[in-house]
Amino acid sequence: MNQGNGFESQRASMVDYQLRARGIRSIKVLEAMGQVAREKFVPKNMQDCAYDDGPLPIGAGQTISQPYIVALMTEALDLKGGETVLDIGTGSGYAAAVMACIAGQVFSIERIPELAERAARTLASEGFGNVEVHCGDGTMGWPEHQPFEGIIVAAGAPAVPESLKHQLAVGGHLVIPVGSEHSVQALMRITRLADNEFRTEDLGAVRFVPLLGEQGWS
Ligand code: SAH
């Protein structure tokens, strides 16, 4: 099943059955998820599961998110194309790659060196020259590159980090799971309406690994 273009047909089915059928509508997101070779972002011995409908372990106790969650969060950023995006929790680099198909530039931060290095290598070899990976604490954002039209956080926070809110461009969205450390979180979308005016929406229940850091869990 996985010889030749086997992965391409699995990817096309993933887009149809896991994304489109569940209500992902953004053509840009569906096209991006149809393009990125997810099998390159999972450990070699798990490539056969790359298009499964769930998260997968990527080492260091972390996971690559379920494809549907990546699509849902990317859709919530409402990118039109060409934006500057901040991605917190690079992990495998997969979500960064999906956003890089739409945005102009993606800045991605991962706190575990081994994952940051591997993700940077995968992104480079897959041709994503518009993603920059940095190893460090993403809860403080990346002030040098602000403002961001979109910020996505792939780990659960105790509360919305103030520093991230204030690195959003006016009109930009921050998508972040907020809630208890080891159970279910609410996926929140914070939109910066004006300098000091933010709107908060609850997009539903999700389950993420904890966001560790200065404005995360200790
Ligand atoms: N977007 C990833 C999913 C990563 S899981 C992908 O597509 O594969 C969440 C990641 O967030 C983990 O790798 C974890 O190490 C990282 N993380 C947790 N707290 C962090 C912090 N404060 N700054 C940066 N990365 C963090």
Side-chain angles (χ1 to χ4, degrees), residues 2 11 14 22 27 39 47-48 50 64 78 85 87 91 102 104 107 117 121 135 142 186-187 205 213:
N2 293 329
R11 192 178 313 131
M14 177 271 281
R22 286 201 188 116
I27 300 295
E39 70 276 11
Q47 288 195 338
D48 286 351
I64 176 174
D78 196 22
V85 171
D87 170 47
I102 308 171
F107 293 98
E117 282 156 29
R121 255 183 281 126
C135 187
W142 198 333
L187 186 62

PDB file of all heavy atoms in Angstrom, residues 2 11 14 22 27 39 47-48 50 64 78 85 87 91 102 104 107 117 121 135 142 186-187 205 213:
ATOM      1  N   ASN A   2       2.065   1.168   0.639  1.00  0.00           N
ATOM      2  CA  ASN A   2       2.862   2.375   0.744  1.00  0.00           C
ATOM      3  C   ASN A   2       3.986   2.464  -0.274  1.00  0.00           C
ATOM      4  O   ASN A   2       4.953   3.173  -0.077  1.00  0.00           O
ATOM      5  CB  ASN A   2       3.440   2.506   2.147  1.00  0.00           C
ATOM      6  CG  ASN A   2       2.322   2.752   3.133  1.00  0.00           C
ATOM      7  OD1 ASN A   2       1.321   3.369   2.766  1.00  0.00           O
ATOM      8  ND2 ASN A   2       2.481   2.273   4.335  1.00  0.00           N
ATOM      9  N   ARG A  11      -2.877  10.670   1.727  1.00  0.00           N
ATOM     10  CA  ARG A  11      -3.006  12.090   2.057  1.00  0.00           C
ATOM     11  C   ARG A  11      -4.309  12.649   1.496  1.00  0.00           C
ATOM     12  O   ARG A  11      -5.031  13.391   2.175  1.00  0.00           O
ATOM     13  CB  ARG A  11      -1.808  12.864   1.486  1.00  0.00           C
ATOM     14  CG  ARG A  11      -1.686  14.288   1.996  1.00  0.00           C
ATOM     15  CD  ARG A  11      -0.442  14.967   1.426  1.00  0.00           C
ATOM     16  NE  ARG A  11       0.716  14.108   1.527  1.00  0.00           N
ATOM     17  CZ  ARG A  11       1.556  13.861   0.518  1.00  0.00           C
ATOM     18  NH1 ARG A  11       1.397  14.428  -0.664  1.00  0.00           N
ATOM     19  NH2 ARG A  11       2.568  13.030   0.689  1.00  0.00           N
ATOM     20  N   MET A  14      -7.104  11.466   3.661  1.00  0.00           N
ATOM     21  CA  MET A  14      -7.096  12.201   4.932  1.00  0.00           C
ATOM     22  C   MET A  14      -7.818  13.542   4.743  1.00  0.00           C
ATOM     23  O   MET A  14      -8.668  13.925   5.554  1.00  0.00           O
ATOM     24  CB  MET A  14      -5.644  12.385   5.397  1.00  0.00           C
ATOM     25  CG  MET A  14      -5.435  13.181   6.666  1.00  0.00           C
ATOM     26  SD  MET A  14      -5.268  14.940   6.365  1.00  0.00           S
ATOM     27  CE  MET A  14      -3.569  15.071   5.795  1.00  0.00           C
ATOM     28  N   ARG A  22     -15.452  16.680   8.073  1.00  0.00           N
ATOM     29  CA  ARG A  22     -15.704  17.186   9.432  1.00  0.00           C
ATOM     30  C   ARG A  22     -15.908  18.689   9.468  1.00  0.00           C
ATOM     31  O   ARG A  22     -15.965  19.283  10.540  1.00  0.00           O
ATOM     32  CB  ARG A  22     -14.538  16.837  10.346  1.00  0.00           C
ATOM     33  CG  ARG A  22     -14.507  15.377  10.722  1.00  0.00           C
ATOM     34  CD  ARG A  22     -13.683  15.208  11.993  1.00  0.00           C
ATOM     35  NE  ARG A  22     -13.473  13.814  12.269  1.00  0.00           N
ATOM     36  CZ  ARG A  22     -12.281  13.229  12.264  1.00  0.00           C
ATOM     37  NH1 ARG A  22     -11.193  13.928  12.021  1.00  0.00           N
ATOM     38  NH2 ARG A  22     -12.183  11.953  12.529  1.00  0.00           N
ATOM     39  N   ILE A  27     -10.277  26.563   1.562  1.00  0.00           N
ATOM     40  CA  ILE A  27      -9.589  25.941   0.425  1.00  0.00           C
ATOM     41  C   ILE A  27      -8.081  25.988   0.644  1.00  0.00           C
ATOM     42  O   ILE A  27      -7.366  25.036   0.361  1.00  0.00           O
ATOM     43  CB  ILE A  27      -9.931  26.693  -0.894  1.00  0.00           C
ATOM     44  CG1 ILE A  27     -11.448  26.650  -1.152  1.00  0.00           C
ATOM     45  CG2 ILE A  27      -9.177  26.115  -2.081  1.00  0.00           C
ATOM     46  CD1 ILE A  27     -11.987  25.270  -1.414  1.00  0.00           C
ATOM     47  N   GLU A  39       4.291  12.173   6.202  1.00  0.00           N
ATOM     48  CA  GLU A  39       5.138  11.008   6.515  1.00  0.00           C
ATOM     49  C   GLU A  39       6.587  11.409   6.788  1.00  0.00           C
ATOM     50  O   GLU A  39       7.317  10.693   7.464  1.00  0.00           O
ATOM     51  CB  GLU A  39       5.048   9.950   5.405  1.00  0.00           C
ATOM     52  CG  GLU A  39       5.699  10.309   4.070  1.00  0.00           C
ATOM     53  CD  GLU A  39       4.805  11.134   3.151  1.00  0.00           C
ATOM     54  OE1 GLU A  39       3.741  11.618   3.606  1.00  0.00           O
ATOM     55  OE2 GLU A  39       5.169  11.289   1.964  1.00  0.00           O
ATOM     56  N   GLN A  47       5.996   5.772   9.750  1.00  0.00           N
ATOM     57  CA  GLN A  47       5.513   6.382   8.508  1.00  0.00           C
ATOM     58  C   GLN A  47       4.207   5.750   8.016  1.00  0.00           C
ATOM     59  O   GLN A  47       3.377   6.437   7.437  1.00  0.00           O
ATOM     60  CB  GLN A  47       6.595   6.288   7.434  1.00  0.00           C
ATOM     61  CG  GLN A  47       7.741   7.253   7.728  1.00  0.00           C
ATOM     62  CD  GLN A  47       8.642   7.474   6.546  1.00  0.00           C
ATOM     63  OE1 GLN A  47       8.687   6.652   5.640  1.00  0.00           O
ATOM     64  NE2 GLN A  47       9.356   8.571   6.542  1.00  0.00           N
ATOM     65  N   ASP A  48       4.052   4.454   8.277  1.00  0.00           N
ATOM     66  CA  ASP A  48       2.823   3.787   7.827  1.00  0.00           C
ATOM     67  C   ASP A  48       1.585   4.324   8.538  1.00  0.00           C
ATOM     68  O   ASP A  48       0.472   4.119   8.070  1.00  0.00           O
ATOM     69  CB  ASP A  48       2.923   2.275   8.051  1.00  0.00           C
ATOM     70  CG  ASP A  48       3.862   1.631   7.029  1.00  0.00           C
ATOM     71  OD1 ASP A  48       4.273   2.330   6.079  1.00  0.00           O
ATOM     72  OD2 ASP A  48       4.172   0.431   7.199  1.00  0.00           O
ATOM     73  N   ALA A  50       1.316   7.594   9.321  1.00  0.00           N
ATOM     74  CA  ALA A  50       1.382   9.057   9.197  1.00  0.00           C
ATOM     75  C   ALA A  50       0.023   9.699   8.934  1.00  0.00           C
ATOM     76  O   ALA A  50      -0.217  10.834   9.348  1.00  0.00           O
ATOM     77  CB  ALA A  50       2.368   9.439   8.097  1.00  0.00           C
ATOM     78  N   ILE A  64       3.076  14.748  17.503  1.00  0.00           N
ATOM     79  CA  ILE A  64       2.614  15.521  16.341  1.00  0.00           C
ATOM     80  C   ILE A  64       1.090  15.487  16.443  1.00  0.00           C
ATOM     81  O   ILE A  64       0.496  14.430  16.680  1.00  0.00           O
ATOM     82  CB  ILE A  64       3.133  14.926  15.007  1.00  0.00           C
ATOM     83  CG1 ILE A  64       2.571  15.661  13.781  1.00  0.00           C
ATOM     84  CG2 ILE A  64       2.840  13.440  14.873  1.00  0.00           C
ATOM     85  CD1 ILE A  64       3.191  15.189  12.434  1.00  0.00           C
ATOM     86  N   ASP A  78      -7.367  32.198   9.890  1.00  0.00           N
ATOM     87  CA  ASP A  78      -7.982  32.935   8.784  1.00  0.00           C
ATOM     88  C   ASP A  78      -6.937  33.661   7.927  1.00  0.00           C
ATOM     89  O   ASP A  78      -7.074  34.848   7.637  1.00  0.00           O
ATOM     90  CB  ASP A  78      -9.004  33.933   9.375  1.00  0.00           C
ATOM     91  CG  ASP A  78      -9.959  34.444   8.308  1.00  0.00           C
ATOM     92  OD1 ASP A  78     -10.117  33.752   7.275  1.00  0.00           O
ATOM     93  OD2 ASP A  78     -10.520  35.538   8.488  1.00  0.00           O
ATOM     94  N   VAL A  85       3.665  34.730  10.632  1.00  0.00           N
ATOM     95  CA  VAL A  85       3.008  33.893  11.637  1.00  0.00           C
ATOM     96  C   VAL A  85       4.024  33.401  12.661  1.00  0.00           C
ATOM     97  O   VAL A  85       5.166  33.093  12.314  1.00  0.00           O
ATOM     98  CB  VAL A  85       2.328  32.677  10.936  1.00  0.00           C
ATOM     99  CG1 VAL A  85       1.815  31.671  11.943  1.00  0.00           C
ATOM    100  CG2 VAL A  85       1.179  33.146  10.039  1.00  0.00           C
ATOM    101  N   ASP A  87       4.641  30.395  15.457  1.00  0.00           N
ATOM    102  CA  ASP A  87       4.202  29.040  15.799  1.00  0.00           C
ATOM    103  C   ASP A  87       4.942  28.623  17.070  1.00  0.00           C
ATOM    104  O   ASP A  87       6.163  28.505  17.051  1.00  0.00           O
ATOM    105  CB  ASP A  87       4.565  28.120  14.609  1.00  0.00           C
ATOM    106  CG  ASP A  87       4.391  26.649  14.898  1.00  0.00           C
ATOM    107  OD1 ASP A  87       3.346  26.262  15.449  1.00  0.00           O
ATOM    108  OD2 ASP A  87       5.302  25.860  14.532  1.00  0.00           O
ATOM    109  N   GLY A  91       7.597  21.121  17.622  1.00  0.00           N
ATOM    110  CA  GLY A  91       7.469  19.664  17.617  1.00  0.00           C
ATOM    111  C   GLY A  91       8.164  19.075  16.401  1.00  0.00           C
ATOM    112  O   GLY A  91       9.363  19.250  16.189  1.00  0.00           O
ATOM    113  N   ILE A 102       0.786  28.763   3.232  1.00  0.00           N
ATOM    114  CA  ILE A 102      -0.169  29.866   3.070  1.00  0.00           C
ATOM    115  C   ILE A 102       0.480  31.209   3.421  1.00  0.00           C
ATOM    116  O   ILE A 102       0.379  32.169   2.663  1.00  0.00           O
ATOM    117  CB  ILE A 102      -1.409  29.642   3.977  1.00  0.00           C
ATOM    118  CG1 ILE A 102      -2.000  28.250   3.739  1.00  0.00           C
ATOM    119  CG2 ILE A 102      -2.451  30.738   3.727  1.00  0.00           C
ATOM    120  CD1 ILE A 102      -3.081  27.848   4.734  1.00  0.00           C
ATOM    121  N   GLY A 104       3.478  34.097   4.464  1.00  0.00           N
ATOM    122  CA  GLY A 104       4.724  34.505   3.815  1.00  0.00           C
ATOM    123  C   GLY A 104       5.922  33.987   4.581  1.00  0.00           C
ATOM    124  O   GLY A 104       6.892  33.508   4.002  1.00  0.00           O
ATOM    125  N   PHE A 107       7.708  31.933  11.878  1.00  0.00           N
ATOM    126  CA  PHE A 107       8.724  31.860  12.921  1.00  0.00           C
ATOM    127  C   PHE A 107       8.231  30.847  13.934  1.00  0.00           C
ATOM    128  O   PHE A 107       7.098  30.950  14.416  1.00  0.00           O
ATOM    129  CB  PHE A 107       8.918  33.238  13.570  1.00  0.00           C
ATOM    130  CG  PHE A 107       9.508  34.236  12.622  1.00  0.00           C
ATOM    131  CD1 PHE A 107       8.698  35.144  11.948  1.00  0.00           C
ATOM    132  CD2 PHE A 107      10.870  34.239  12.362  1.00  0.00           C
ATOM    133  CE1 PHE A 107       9.243  36.055  11.041  1.00  0.00           C
ATOM    134  CE2 PHE A 107      11.426  35.144  11.459  1.00  0.00           C
ATOM    135  CZ  PHE A 107      10.612  36.047  10.796  1.00  0.00           C
ATOM    136  N   GLU A 117      16.035  20.891  16.402  1.00  0.00           N
ATOM    137  CA  GLU A 117      17.042  20.588  15.370  1.00  0.00           C
ATOM    138  C   GLU A 117      16.477  19.679  14.293  1.00  0.00           C
ATOM    139  O   GLU A 117      16.663  19.907  13.098  1.00  0.00           O
ATOM    140  CB  GLU A 117      18.275  19.921  16.003  1.00  0.00           C
ATOM    141  CG  GLU A 117      19.186  20.922  16.687  1.00  0.00           C
ATOM    142  CD  GLU A 117      20.053  20.293  17.781  1.00  0.00           C
ATOM    143  OE1 GLU A 117      20.372  19.090  17.677  1.00  0.00           O
ATOM    144  OE2 GLU A 117      20.382  21.016  18.746  1.00  0.00           O
ATOM    145  N   ARG A 121      15.764  20.574  10.250  1.00  0.00           N
ATOM    146  CA  ARG A 121      16.331  19.763   9.162  1.00  0.00           C
ATOM    147  C   ARG A 121      15.233  19.271   8.217  1.00  0.00           C
ATOM    148  O   ARG A 121      15.369  19.335   6.999  1.00  0.00           O
ATOM    149  CB  ARG A 121      17.084  18.558   9.737  1.00  0.00           C
ATOM    150  CG  ARG A 121      18.596  18.709   9.675  1.00  0.00           C
ATOM    151  CD  ARG A 121      19.315  17.471  10.197  1.00  0.00           C
ATOM    152  NE  ARG A 121      19.352  17.438  11.649  1.00  0.00           N
ATOM    153  CZ  ARG A 121      18.931  16.422  12.398  1.00  0.00           C
ATOM    154  NH1 ARG A 121      18.434  15.329  11.847  1.00  0.00           N
ATOM    155  NH2 ARG A 121      19.003  16.487  13.716  1.00  0.00           N
ATOM    156  N   CYS A 135      15.233  27.592  19.150  1.00  0.00           N
ATOM    157  CA  CYS A 135      15.065  26.784  20.353  1.00  0.00           C
ATOM    158  C   CYS A 135      15.003  27.703  21.565  1.00  0.00           C
ATOM    159  O   CYS A 135      15.927  28.468  21.813  1.00  0.00           O
ATOM    160  CB  CYS A 135      16.214  25.789  20.484  1.00  0.00           C
ATOM    161  SG  CYS A 135      15.943  24.655  21.845  1.00  0.00           S
ATOM    162  N   TRP A 142       8.330  36.200  20.220  1.00  0.00           N
ATOM    163  CA  TRP A 142       9.577  36.488  19.491  1.00  0.00           C
ATOM    164  C   TRP A 142       9.543  37.970  19.128  1.00  0.00           C
ATOM    165  O   TRP A 142       9.199  38.333  18.001  1.00  0.00           O
ATOM    166  CB  TRP A 142       9.659  35.592  18.246  1.00  0.00           C
ATOM    167  CG  TRP A 142      11.023  35.453  17.648  1.00  0.00           C
ATOM    168  CD1 TRP A 142      12.066  36.338  17.702  1.00  0.00           C
ATOM    169  CD2 TRP A 142      11.503  34.337  16.871  1.00  0.00           C
ATOM    170  NE1 TRP A 142      13.144  35.844  17.029  1.00  0.00           N
ATOM    171  CE2 TRP A 142      12.836  34.626  16.501  1.00  0.00           C
ATOM    172  CE3 TRP A 142      10.928  33.134  16.448  1.00  0.00           C
ATOM    173  CZ2 TRP A 142      13.596  33.746  15.723  1.00  0.00           C
ATOM    174  CZ3 TRP A 142      11.684  32.266  15.674  1.00  0.00           C
ATOM    175  CH2 TRP A 142      13.000  32.563  15.320  1.00  0.00           C
ATOM    176  N   ALA A 186      -9.716  24.214  26.596  1.00  0.00           N
ATOM    177  CA  ALA A 186     -10.595  24.898  25.636  1.00  0.00           C
ATOM    178  C   ALA A 186      -9.692  25.540  24.594  1.00  0.00           C
ATOM    179  O   ALA A 186      -8.722  26.214  24.947  1.00  0.00           O
ATOM    180  CB  ALA A 186     -11.418  25.953  26.347  1.00  0.00           C
ATOM    181  N   LEU A 187     -10.011  25.325  23.325  1.00  0.00           N
ATOM    182  CA  LEU A 187      -9.247  25.969  22.265  1.00  0.00           C
ATOM    183  C   LEU A 187      -9.796  27.390  22.118  1.00  0.00           C
ATOM    184  O   LEU A 187     -10.956  27.579  21.755  1.00  0.00           O
ATOM    185  CB  LEU A 187      -9.381  25.194  20.952  1.00  0.00           C
ATOM    186  CG  LEU A 187      -8.515  25.706  19.809  1.00  0.00           C
ATOM    187  CD1 LEU A 187      -7.030  25.603  20.150  1.00  0.00           C
ATOM    188  CD2 LEU A 187      -8.796  24.944  18.526  1.00  0.00           C
ATOM    189  N   ALA A 205     -13.427  21.842  22.801  1.00  0.00           N
ATOM    190  CA  ALA A 205     -12.516  21.119  23.699  1.00  0.00           C
ATOM    191  C   ALA A 205     -11.420  20.413  22.913  1.00  0.00           C
ATOM    192  O   ALA A 205     -11.665  19.830  21.855  1.00  0.00           O
ATOM    193  CB  ALA A 205     -13.304  20.104  24.515  1.00  0.00           C
ATOM    194  N   GLY A 213       6.945  26.905  30.688  1.00  0.00           N
ATOM    195  CA  GLY A 213       7.745  28.111  30.496  1.00  0.00           C
ATOM    196  C   GLY A 213       7.289  29.252  31.364  1.00  0.00           C
ATOM    197  O   GLY A 213       6.364  29.117  32.161  1.00  0.00           O
TER     198      GLY A 213
END
